[in-house]
Amino acid sequence: VQLQASGGGLVQAGGSLRLSCAASGSIISISDMGWYRQAPGKQRELVAAITSGGSRNYTDSVKGRFTIARDDAKKTAYLEMNNLKPEDTAVYYCSLDVGTLVNARLVFNDYWGQGTQVTVSS
């Protein structure tokens, strides 16, 4: 299983970006999907998550500005980021809980994307 994250970049404050995270490999199903971020000198934090049933949760600092979505047919997670602020600057990582067949049994494991840099200038 591999995850390919994309969509990061440099944007001015108030701007928007859309991150994507596409999974590939011998995937049977995907449970939870999440986006994390890590700013320099800080711990990695959960930004947003979405369950297989579509329930979403967000860290307080991004509520009303970020939206997480998923396309199960494409095995892809998205993070729509609007009204970006300089404090959103970080490397963003996706994490997907992926089910594969192991010895004919469905086993779920967490996989991580490679990270994509988001820089917001003031």
Side-chain angles (χ1 to χ4, degrees):
V1 174
Q2 291 187 327
L3 303 187
Q4 181 67 46
S6 61
L10 173 63
V11 65
Q12 288 187 331
S16 299
L17 286 172
R18 187 191 194 208
L19 306 183
S20 299
C21 177
S24 62
S26 300
I27 298 168
I28 304 302
S29 65
I30 302 175
S31 179
D32 298 342
M33 298 180 176
W35 286 96
Y36 294 73
R37 67 187 178 187
Q38 187 166 20
K42 294 188 177 182
Q43 289 188 330
R44 189 174 298 189
E45 65 168 345
L46 175 64
V47 176
I50 184 169
T51 68
S52 57
S55 296
R56 299 171 171 85
N57 68 82
Y58 302 91
T59 191
D60 286 345
S61 63
V62 308
K63 286 180 180 178
R65 300 188 298 121
F66 290 12
T67 301
I68 188 171
R70 61 189 290 160
D71 185 331
D72 289 314
K74 294 182 178 179
K75 300 182 180 64
T76 300
Y78 302 97
L79 185 67
E80 184 76 34
M81 305 184 294
N82 298 313
N83 190 21
L84 281 160
K85 303 177 180 180
E87 51 264 42
D88 295 318
T89 295
V91 178
Y92 283 70
Y93 299 90
C94 57
S95 177
L96 274 57
D97 191 16
V98 178
T100 60
L101 285 179
V102 178
N103 297 326
R105 298 180 66 181
L106 182 62
V107 176
F108 282 87
N109 288 291
D110 289 332
Y111 292 87
W112 289 84
Q114 81 281 15
T116 183
Q117 177 70 47
V118 171
T119 303
V120 184
S121 63
S122 57

